[in-house]
Amino acid sequence: MTSADGTPVRVGVFGLLGSGNLGNDGSLEALLGHLRAAHPEAVVDALCGGPEAVTTRFGIPATRMHWYRGEYRTASRARAIAGKALGKLVDVFRTAAWVRRHDVVIVPGMGVLEATLPLRPWGFPYSLFLLCASGRLLRTRVALVSVGAATIADRPTRALVRWSARLAAYRSYRDTQSRDAMRAMGVDTARDEVYPDLAFALPAQRASTAAEQADPAGTVCVGVMDFHGGNDDRARAEEIYGRYLDATIRFVRALVEEGRAVRLLTGDECDRPVVAAILDAVESPLVTAAEPASLADLMKEMAAADAVMAIRYHNLICALKTGTPVLALSYAAKSDALMTGMGLGAFCHPAREADADRLLEQFRALERRSPELRRTLAERNLEAARRLQHQFDSLTAAVFPAADHAPTPRKAP
């Protein structure tokens, strides 16, 4: 695709990409797949958290989001605090200069408008605000595509998120409650649509024939997370983590006692200590750990399993995408909405009140209904693919300049 003057469209992608979170990178992978298929002439680069990793894996130029390299380390000494404060000022000009070089900037998926995990206003919310404000001032269209949102209690964070959304040229959400949350925080969402998470656009890994037959002694994948609650749970973070870890260990131990093989999976580099803790607590050759480097790796593991129990949002998506029945340890309403939308709403368990006995009871009910649930997931995945194609068509029509072959916008299904 070219702009009105015949030059290739310059597309920037923005987010905490290349920073070790498989879900974030999977969202970027899905977007790049669409851009390369639908807009092969577009020139793409990134402003992100891990530029070296993004360039190495995806083959696009990338720039570090923050001038100060210690941005995500706690600043306790005067020098570090001064460096971080100076970085916030420098980033105003760095972000504007990067935005100015583009026709369109896309924020691909991710929970960029929520604070369901610990988050400070001067971190990513501030960076997102700089991006969207620069886009409005410099007339570069900023698109928030299939993003997650949630009502935010902290006033500074809420204000930054609200203004970021207001300043964006295009918004779509990955579930209805995200759109409702932004409306509740004062954003006009009358023209905003809801589509599936971008990860549903990734190539599928088909479940193995053995897994589809639901062998009662088959492998179970357990997706783990370094979970300490969200922004409002800081006072009881260790209590929440201890309860979650204990319930997960007891769940894995019960499966092993039944002779089941358990495969431990992560979704972020920070989850590795959780895997180590479980392996130390359940010493058995039946418990092994994978080292996934992408959502494709996660889907390959889950496609070979009989069933999954997971907590991270994109681990859940990987199981659902492969058609493998999954029990969700839900830490936010977004997980409940995802599971309900895919027909597995009955198989959610609150992560903050994790109870091993109840988890096992729900898991056994999940396995009993496995054939039925696999058929449901096959149908829902087809619908998700159809709706995501509409998402990409809508994005092209809304923000790409001089799109001669852009489809005529149509009402979302």
Side-chain angles (χ1 to χ4, degrees), residues 172-235:
S172 65
Y173 307 98
R174 63 189 180 191
D175 49 52
T176 301
Q177 66 186 32
S178 291
R179 182 172 60 184
D180 292 345
M182 295 313 298
R183 183 184 300 118
M185 289 193 290
V187 177
D188 181 2
T189 62
R191 299 177 62 185
D192 299 351
E193 296 287 0
V194 174
Y195 298 101
D197 189 275
L198 290 179
F200 279 104
L202 293 171
Q205 298 279 343
R206 179 172 170 77
S208 67
T209 302
E212 288 179 346
Q213 294 173 352
D215 180 358
T219 299
V220 178
C221 283
V222 175
V224 304
M225 180 179 182
D226 184 26
F227 177 63
H228 292 76
N231 251 13
D232 300 331
D233 300 314
R234 292 180 184 272

Side-chain angles (χ1 to χ4, degrees), residues 33-57:
H34 163 69
L35 291 175
R36 287 165 176 163
H39 311 296
E41 302 304 318
V43 177
V44 183
D45 72 305
L47 184 65
C48 59
E52 297 86 0
V54 167
T55 297
T56 299
R57 179 178 173 190

Side-chain angles (χ1 to χ4, degrees), residues 252-272:
V252 170
R253 185 178 288 129
L255 292 177
V256 168
E257 288 173 355
E258 295 173 0
R260 304 290 294 269
V262 176
R263 190 76 162 152
L264 301 178
L265 305 174
T266 59
D268 194 294
E269 291 176 358
C270 69
D271 300 332
R272 291 175 181 174

Side-chain angles (χ1 to χ4, degrees), residues 16 21 24 110-121 124-125 148-154 157 161 174 224-234 237 240 244 267-268 270-271 311-314 329-335 351-352:
L16 293 177
N21 184 284
N24 291 358
M110 304 175 285
V112 297
L113 302 177
E114 63 183 48
T116 52
L117 296 176
L119 184 70
R120 299 296 190 188
F124 185 78
T151 304
I152 298 171
D154 179 72
T157 304
V161 165
R174 63 189 180 191
V224 304
M225 180 179 182
D226 184 26
F227 177 63
H228 292 76
N231 251 13
D232 300 331
D233 300 314
R234 292 180 184 272
I240 288 172
Y244 157 69
D268 194 294
C270 69
D271 300 332
I311 178 170
R312 278 197 178 273
Y313 183 79
H314 281 94
L329 257 176
S330 176
Y331 68 86
K334 63 183 179 182
S335 299
R352 288 170 180 79

Side-chain angles (χ1 to χ4, degrees), residues 33-85:
H34 163 69
L35 291 175
R36 287 165 176 163
H39 311 296
E41 302 304 318
V43 177
V44 183
D45 72 305
L47 184 65
C48 59
E52 297 86 0
V54 167
T55 297
T56 299
R57 179 178 173 190
F58 299 107
I60 61 174
T63 302
R64 188 174 300 278
M65 184 184 298
H66 303 290
W67 174 79
Y68 181 62
R69 288 180 175 265
E71 172 63 30
Y72 293 107
R73 293 195 296 268
T74 300
S76 56
R77 296 184 177 181
R79 187 173 180 178
I81 293 172
K84 184 171 285 192

Side-chain angles (χ1 to χ4, degrees), residues 277-298:
I278 296 171
L279 290 174
D280 286 344
V282 188
E283 297 181 3
S284 169
L286 290 174
V287 184
T288 56
E291 296 185 359
S294 66
L295 293 191
D297 290 346
L298 281 174

